[in-house]
Amino acid sequence: MSATPLLDRVHLPADMRQFSRAELRQLADELRKETISAVSVTGGHLGAGLGVIELTVALHHLFNTPDDRLIWDVGHQAYPHKILTGRRDRIRTLRMGGGLSGFTRRSESEYDPFGAAHSSTSISAGLGMAVARDLSGEKRNIVCVIGDGAMSAGMAYEAMNNAGAMKSRLIVVLNDNDMSIAPPVGAMSAYLARLISSRKYLGFRAFAKRLMAKLGRFLFDKARRAEEYARGLWTGGTLFEEMGFYYIGPIDGHNLDHLLPVLANARDAKVDGPVLVHVVTQKGKGYAPAEKAADKFHGVTKFDVITGAQAKSSAKAPSYTKVFAESLMAEARKDEKIVAITAAMPSGTGLDLFAHEFPNRCFDVGIAEQHGVTFAAGLASEGYKPFAAIYSTFLQRAYDQVVHDVAIQSLPVRFAIDRAGLVGADGATHAGAFDVTYLATLPNFVVMAASDEVELRHMVATAASINDRPSAVRYPRGEGLGLEMPVEGTVLHIGKGRIVREGSKIAILSLGTRLQEALKAADQLAAMGLPATVADARFAKPLDEELITRLAATHEVLITIEEGAVGGFGAHVLHFMANAGLLEAGCRVRTMTLPDIFQDHDTPQAQYAAAHLAAADIVATATAALGRESQWATNRA
């Protein structure tokens, strides 16, 4: 007999719309089991999804999805949603090559109306959908489920401010799963939430408004504000009321007897403008190992369902993230002006280690990269040495602040850019493809890329020494090479690369960790009688113009290679060579970059192979430039 008999009957949300409340409770239990089972096989995000099991069931039961739009913010809450929306048969392909995305994705299902992998976008997108609905004269609900972590970002409040003023019908569900703004207090809280969302209350409220309007504007405004504050004081929703939302809650997000009537009332309410339903949930709910874990199993590798023990890879070397953290700590021990900043990613950036040793010099600003960058600029303006450790794709969210608040003022903010290059299972939304392009274009910016963990240590020391302009060091996700680490980093000569191997025919100029592939390619080229020089550029800006000039003058072919998009390091090299007249001297130049597409999730190795940035691709590029493709093909065969 199946362990999930009700879930087996649900192929699409319409299949559960006639379920009784008792059946919905059973369905939620089965959905929780299936989510745990699936993620134990694939790894991924678990805790947030377990916290919204009942909410997911209630929303799909009550709303006519996909015609009613259901937006998850962020997408890692949405694994249970995927199971209920026709993707259960593929749920064990999550985050694998050719499988389901770990986030919501428009191209994957009509039940994913908006792709969400970065946080705090749901209310903005939902408001846009609501206005589009109104302009088209259509009738549908727009529901945004936003986590409380996402509510720490300014974009969410910008959207709420706009939504409150627009008076467009929108339902926002605040999934309060970490720190409750106002904790639910059992039966009384549930009663009040049902009361203030009921048709009777809303009808009486409308009648009272009409009556008070006849008594004059002054009394009307006073009565309206008194009523809103009364509800706000009872429920904790005064802030949302002030922003123009009709607030309902807080309610227990795991109690379907509370959830179903309140969400039904919110769906049917005759309220002008947006409604916010405050739902309190528990990350990891219903799975004991997750409930006990400090991170509530937010992100996990494959694990044993019975014990919760996660599979541990046998690391051959420390991760680049850990090397960065340890290198920064070494610098901070020597210089009390060094401080560190993260935007809600202390463990992801390694700054949890820094915070343990220097709790008063480490600042987590929440999901607020824009604020974090300008906060760092303020610290720098007062003589401190801030290191802003932010993922490459998250730094994109603060580009105006990087330009206006840091670069124009030439403030020495140091950007530690984790997850540079391709990132495997997290796919295009988290792939650091663009940071060299968007930083190296800024005047007076120092942009470094580490080719291995020793170079990363040197570059952290170098960044700490730069006090007259902004700087950045980029490094990938994953492990280093296992090299012996120096106790301290050495300050590098700004804008100077290094020769790693000498040759005479072909020059390979690498920026970042493709250096190892370049060395493999050099071995293969040498075996073909084509000796190759391999150089580590170290800096995308300023360029080592002397090195480039030398390589172009002494080799027949010059190849640049980088883990970044078109418009980055290779483009800067070509720009210099063109203006210096080096392209007319006979050296054939080729640039190797990430392809001009957003690459789907897969293993990093498969992604780089698909991007044609492996050793074999370097060899093919070199032999093609020399007109020896047939020789290479024969040797390869």
Side-chain angles (χ1 to χ4, degrees):
M1 182 177 175
S2 172
T4 56
L6 276 180
L7 184 59
D8 294 345
R9 291 165 49 189
V10 178
H11 304 288
L12 292 172
D15 298 328
M16 55 182 281
R17 301 242 161 92
Q18 301 306 314
F19 280 9
S20 68
R21 195 168 293 184
E23 288 175 314
L24 291 174
R25 289 192 197 98
Q26 181 181 335
L27 177 65
D29 292 339
E30 294 179 10
L31 180 60
R32 180 167 277 109
K33 290 177 184 176
E34 178 70 358
T35 302
I36 294 167
S37 173
V39 180
S40 74
V41 172
T42 65
H45 296 95
L46 181 63
L50 295 182
V52 296
I53 294 290
E54 289 80 10
L55 179 60
T56 305
V57 168
L59 288 169
H60 279 300
H61 173 73
L62 292 169
F63 290 90
N64 185 32
T65 55
D67 185 61
D68 286 343
R69 310 296 195 231
L70 178 56
I71 307 165
W72 293 93
D73 184 343
V74 293
H76 59 56
Q77 299 180 88
Y79 294 4
H81 157 82
K82 293 195 177 203
I83 293 170
L84 293 179
T85 54
R87 288 169 276 184
R88 184 186 181 190
D89 61 340
R90 293 194 293 148
I91 199 65
R92 287 166 179 77
T93 68
L94 271 169
R95 297 157 52 85
M96 298 178 182
L100 295 179
S101 169
F103 308 101
T104 53
R105 190 175 186 183
R106 282 172 54 83
S107 62
E108 191 176 285
S109 171
E110 63 179 337
Y111 289 89
D112 292 357
F114 200 77
H118 292 185
S119 79
S120 317
T121 61
S122 61
I123 304 176
S124 298
L127 180 60
M129 293 177 188
V131 170
R133 171 203 62 201
D134 298 342
L135 290 172
S136 301
E138 297 173 336
K139 301 290 182 183
R140 65 164 57 95
N141 292 292
I142 312 293
V143 183
C144 310
V145 183
I146 182 167
D148 61 337
M151 289 294 284
S152 69
M155 185 175 175
Y157 293 95
E158 292 172 18
M160 290 180 68
N161 182 57
N162 191 201
M166 295 277 291
K167 301 299 182 184
S168 198
R169 190 80 171 80
L170 176 70
I171 299 172
V172 174
V173 178
L174 170 58
N175 171 29
D176 185 359
N177 63 5
D178 189 25
M179 55 168 231
S180 178
I181 294 169
V185 288
M188 180 57 73
S189 172
Y191 169 73
L192 287 171
R194 287 198 300 273
L195 173 65
I196 64 176
S197 64
S198 67
R199 287 188 175 185
K200 287 184 178 180
Y201 178 85
L202 291 170
F204 174 76
R205 187 173 184 254
F207 168 75
K209 279 187 174 182
R210 291 194 298 271
L211 178 63
M212 292 305 296
K214 296 181 182 298
L215 299 179
R217 189 70 193 178
F218 177 79
L219 289 176
F220 173 80
D221 287 342
K222 292 293 184 184
R224 175 182 58 80
R225 190 154 296 244
E227 188 261 355
E228 289 177 353
Y229 270 105
R231 287 194 292 112
L233 287 171
W234 272 104
T235 63
T238 303
L239 169 66
F240 304 113
E241 291 283 350
E242 286 295 297
M243 298 190 78
F245 277 70
Y246 187 83
Y247 175 88
I248 304 168
I251 57 173
D252 183 350
H254 301 296
N255 189 328
L256 286 168
D257 290 332
H258 296 175
L259 271 177
L260 291 166
V262 169
L263 289 173
N265 286 343
R267 178 194 62 192
D268 301 332
K270 304 300 181 185
V271 175
D272 292 331
V275 175
L276 186 137
V277 183
H278 180 179
V279 175
V280 178
T281 64
Q282 178 187 352
K283 289 180 79 168
K285 176 71 173 178
Y287 183 50
E291 291 180 352
K292 294 174 183 176
D295 66 351
K296 306 301 180 188
F297 275 36
H298 173 77
V300 295
T301 58
K302 299 177 183 180
F303 62 92
D304 181 275
V305 173
I306 303 299
T307 65
Q310 297 185 46
K312 294 183 179 179
S313 60
S314 52
K316 299 175 183 176
S319 69
Y320 281 97
T321 299
K322 186 175 182 181
V323 170
F324 160 71
E326 291 176 343
S327 301
L328 183 59
M329 290 159 65
E331 296 299 322
R333 292 183 194 113
K334 299 184 294 182
D335 189 342
E336 64 182 13
K337 291 289 188 180
I338 288 177
V339 294
I341 298 154
T342 179
M345 298 297 292
S347 60
T349 59
L351 290 189
D352 55 338
L353 302 176
F354 185 94
H356 182 73
E357 184 168 344
F358 303 104
N360 296 325
R361 293 161 61 185
C362 189
F363 306 95
D364 185 348
V365 300
I367 304 176
E369 292 86 0
Q370 291 175 300
H371 160 63
V373 169
T374 304
F375 172 63
L379 282 161
S381 72
E382 292 294 322
Y384 278 81
K385 298 182 177 182
F387 278 77
I390 303 175
Y391 288 6
S392 173
T393 55
F394 294 171
L395 187 59
Q396 292 166 186
R397 296 162 67 99
Y399 189 58
D400 180 63
Q401 286 69 32
V402 173
V403 176
H404 183 270
D405 300 337
V406 176
I408 287 178
Q409 303 186 87
S410 201
L411 288 169
V413 174
R414 296 109 176 131
F415 293 96
I417 303 177
D418 205 326
R419 270 56 169 185
L422 301 175
V423 292
D426 282 334
T429 59
H430 286 56
F434 310 112
D435 53 89
V436 171
T437 301
Y438 69 67
L439 291 179
T441 194
L442 299 177
N444 209 31
F445 220 106
V446 176
V447 181
M448 300 174 274
S451 57
D452 57 49
E453 64 266 45
V454 173
E455 285 288 297
L456 176 56
R457 177 151 292 181
H458 295 328
M459 289 178 180
V460 172
T462 304
S465 74
I466 299 173
N467 296 309
D468 59 348
R469 51 188 151 163
S471 60
V473 53
R474 75 189 310 255
Y475 47 94
R477 183 180 192 171
E479 299 172 7
L481 304 179
L483 303 177
E484 184 176 349
M485 295 295 293
V487 176
E488 291 186 350
T490 300
V491 175
L492 303 175
H493 188 157
I494 302 297
K496 289 296 178 183
R498 60 178 179 136
I499 298 291
V500 180
R501 178 177 302 182
E502 289 279 7
S504 58
K505 193 88 171 173
I506 297 159
I508 306 170
L509 181 57
S510 172
L511 181 76
T513 54
R514 288 293 93 189
L515 183 66
Q516 299 309 309
E517 293 299 309
L519 290 168
K520 292 177 186 175
D523 289 337
Q524 296 175 25
L525 288 167
M528 298 167 61
L530 301 172
T533 294
V534 178
D536 179 6
R538 283 178 165 164
F539 295 86
K541 191 168 190 175
L543 286 175
D544 188 341
E545 296 178 355
E546 182 181 353
L547 175 62
I548 295 167
T549 301
R550 175 191 159 193
L551 294 176
T554 56
H555 296 78
E556 293 183 35
V557 175
L558 171 59
I559 298 170
T560 67
I561 184 167
E562 61 193 293
E563 298 152 316
V566 173
F569 173 64
H572 283 260
V573 171
L574 279 174
H575 180 77
F576 162 69
M577 293 183 70
N579 288 330
L582 297 177
L583 295 178
E584 294 131 43
C587 181
R588 283 161 270 189
V589 182
R590 301 291 185 270
T591 60
M592 299 182 69
T593 67
L594 292 176
D596 193 24
I597 60 172
F598 291 106
Q599 286 186 254
D600 281 341
H601 50 278
D602 207 327
T603 65
Q605 295 79 7
Q607 287 181 321
Y608 278 117
H612 301 294
L613 289 181
D617 303 298
I618 300 172
V619 173
T621 299
T623 54
L626 291 169
R628 300 192 184 185
E629 298 99 325
S630 58
Q631 177 189 340
W632 162 238
T634 301
N635 290 345
R636 200 176 187 186

